[in-house]
Amino acid sequence: MVPVTKEYGFSTQQIHAGHLKNSAGALTSPIYQSSTFVFDNAQQGANRFAGEEDGFIYTRLGNPTEQEIELKLAALEGAEAALFTASGMGAISATMHTFLQSGDHVISSEVVYGCTHALFDEGLRKYGIDFAFVDTTKTDAIVKNIKPNTKMIYIETPANPTLDISDIQAIAAIAHEHDLLFVVDNTFCTPYLQRPIELGADLAVYSATKYINGHGDVVAGAGTGKQDMIDQIRMVGLKDMTGSVISPFDAFLVNRGMKTLSLRMDRHVQNAQKIVEFLESEAKVQQIFYPGNPNFAGYAVAQQQMSQPGAMIAFDLKGGRAAGEKFINSVELMSLAVSLGDAETLIEHPASMTHSTYSEADLKQAGISQGLIRVSAGLEDAADLINDMAQAFAKLDTVIPVS
Ligand SMILES: *Cc1c(COP(=O)(O)O)cnc(C)c1O
């Protein structure tokens, strides 16, 4: 294995970190498509189960193809350890199952990924875990909601889909003062744009389906943090409670995707910035939500904690939902699809798609309007994306009267 030290840059680490020599000398690591691993003798099997000897046992507990991307992600994040799961929801669910129990209380961002909201508000409530959904962009709202049984603060920043920015460092200080576990969903940034662990979070969680894999061909998740916490998630929430294990083949694809993470992120962000510039000049746009805009509410905090403003954009059209529907039906190059972080630019309607798990009242409270459109800027030529949007705007003339 290439010794991975802080001296290597991000792009070097995303290629080399975690790579283990294989017996054939293959440059690209083989896929260890094996459910179980053979012990030399009874003593070795017993030692591995007792945790007294390193080595693989059974793929639900770990696999070499998975281990390579775990070492890589931990290196990129500057974290002690990482684990991969079968999906982002698998990572979030395994984390919650590991550290919470009946009677506990959690403070969560009110704007989170739709299925995260459903897991918390419906799934975990069934087991007697209580949630306060608060505007975590305001730290005093967090402090006001801390109760004697509060165990965790869970945030998403930038939040899906409104791009709300919460201050990771300030919230980490509150969490540690009150002895609370602090978890950040860092899916929209990846460690290339934002490093929650270095900013004081205990754990970062990811949908690796998105930018980390980046090619729209895998559903996967991940978590990073201190070794003992990652070990606990692996041995409790993942091994016994959810069984949400990534397959060796998917781990192989994620490894391939991760080797170009920094290149892809730079291009995603460039394209997003050009799209935002274009949207600013378009009279049919009511409001743009983008952390790189100086007049965006979260701009100052985003500047402080993100190295670049990301490639997710949300915007509201004059003409609300009817205009939004017409617009997403009119684009030709952009794909009308949920998910994000792929080579293809994706466009979707949160209120009826990714966030349809929210009730009407919760949507309102979270500031997700009926007209909101979310775009994941892909890797195409920006000019082509802008031309596509321009022709879709032209088709809105029947919906939004030109003034
Ligand atoms: C997609 C997503 C998830 C869920 O991940 P899956 O891989 O689809 O299970 C969680 N958080 C955020 C911010 C997401 O965008």
Side-chain angles (χ1 to χ4, degrees):
M1 189 164 87
V2 175
V4 177
T5 66
K6 288 250 177 206
E7 285 140 51
Y8 284 121
F10 193 97
S11 296
T12 303
Q13 302 220 43
Q14 73 192 1
I15 295 166
H16 293 284
H19 182 73
L20 291 165
K21 268 216 157 84
N22 55 79
S23 56
L27 173 70
T28 299
S29 296
I31 308 170
Y32 288 88
Q33 193 72 34
S34 184
S35 54
T36 198
F37 297 85
V38 180
F39 307 130
D40 287 343
N41 51 50
Q43 190 58 48
Q44 186 181 56
N47 289 348
R48 286 198 185 163
F49 269 91
E52 288 160 6
E53 183 191 311
D54 283 344
F56 295 97
I57 297 174
Y58 181 65
T59 284
R60 184 155 40 74
L61 285 64
N63 171 290
T65 314
E66 180 195 6
Q67 188 185 52
E68 180 160 334
I69 54 174
E70 291 178 342
L71 293 170
K72 186 182 300 249
L73 182 62
L76 294 178
E77 182 93 55
E80 281 180 19
L83 92 172
F84 270 83
T85 55
S87 68
M89 287 314 300
I92 297 165
S93 194
T95 301
M96 305 309 272
H97 279 86
T98 301
F99 297 111
L100 298 172
Q101 61 180 41
S102 170
D104 287 346
H105 175 254
V106 177
I107 295 170
S108 166
S109 297
E110 64 190 2
V111 185
V112 286
Y113 176 68
C115 297
T116 302
H117 192 269
L119 168 70
F120 294 177
D121 202 28
E122 292 160 37
L124 294 174
R125 273 195 206 281
K126 283 205 306 192
Y127 302 102
I129 299 166
D130 192 19
F131 288 83
F133 293 97
V134 312
D135 179 357
T136 52
T137 67
K138 302 197 167 59
T139 44
D140 51 340
I142 296 173
V143 175
K144 247 190 272 169
N145 278 279
I146 295 174
K147 304 202 288 186
N149 60 338
T150 303
K151 283 283 156 60
M152 180 191 284
I153 301 174
Y154 182 99
I155 68 164
E156 223 175 84
T157 185
N160 188 353
T162 56
L163 288 313
D164 278 0
I165 304 290
S166 297
D167 187 332
I168 297 173
Q169 243 170 334
I171 298 171
I174 295 167
H176 298 138
E177 187 190 328
H178 293 86
D179 210 14
L180 310 175
L181 202 60
F182 180 31
V183 183
V184 178
D185 184 329
N186 197 34
T187 298
F188 275 27
C189 282
T190 83
Y192 187 60
L193 301 186
Q194 175 171 275
R195 293 150 162 271
I197 305 293
E198 289 177 2
L199 293 166
D202 296 302
L203 291 162
V205 291
Y206 293 94
S207 170
T209 311
K210 315 292 169 57
Y211 294 105
I212 287 180
N213 179 58
H215 292 73
D217 48 14
V218 167
V219 173
T224 59
K226 288 223 159 62
Q227 185 75 53
D228 65 324
M229 292 179 99
I230 294 297
D231 288 348
Q232 279 184 69
I233 298 172
R234 191 190 307 282
M235 297 313 281
V236 180
L238 184 56
K239 173 172 81 71
D240 297 337
M241 300 187 81
T242 64
S244 175
V245 182
I246 190 170
S247 75
F249 184 62
D250 284 353
F252 167 81
L253 288 174
V254 169
N255 196 10
R256 185 169 70 161
M258 285 176 81
K259 289 181 184 181
T260 56
L261 179 60
S262 62
L263 286 85
R264 290 185 285 106
M265 292 311 289
D266 283 338
R267 177 62 174 260
H268 281 300
V269 174
Q270 270 175 28
N271 279 355
Q273 286 171 325
K274 288 180 186 157
I275 290 171
V276 167
E277 232 168 82
F278 167 72
L279 290 172
E280 278 169 341
S281 71
E282 177 51 64
K284 295 178 182 108
V285 174
Q286 177 88 41
Q287 195 181 352
I288 301 166
F289 302 80
Y290 184 64
N293 266 5
N295 52 10
F296 184 65
Y299 176 75
V301 177
Q303 288 284 305
Q304 183 187 302
Q305 67 189 17
M306 296 164 69
S307 62
Q308 298 182 63
M312 296 300 297
I313 306 156
F315 60 97
D316 252 328
L317 292 177
K318 292 174 184 162
R321 180 148 178 172
E325 274 173 15
K326 174 94 181 168
F327 187 83
I328 59 181
N329 281 332
S330 300
V331 289
E332 290 167 2
L333 178 60
M334 296 185 177
S335 303
L336 175 51
V338 299
S339 198
L340 55 107
D342 293 334
E344 295 80 1
T345 294
L346 306 179
I347 189 164
E348 69 116 6
H349 179 243
S352 70
M353 296 173 187
T354 47
H355 291 70
S356 57
T357 50
Y358 275 62
S359 68
E360 198 105 1
D362 287 342
L363 283 175
K364 211 175 197 151
Q365 158 102 18
I368 304 168
S369 72
Q370 288 294 328
L372 194 74
I373 293 173
R374 191 191 75 182
V375 172
S376 163
L379 302 176
E380 301 95 335
D381 288 303
D384 293 331
L385 297 171
I386 288 166
N387 286 340
D388 189 32
M389 285 188 142
Q391 65 80 27
F393 277 120
K395 289 186 186 142
L396 285 184
D397 287 344
T398 53
V399 185
I400 304 173
V402 205
S403 51

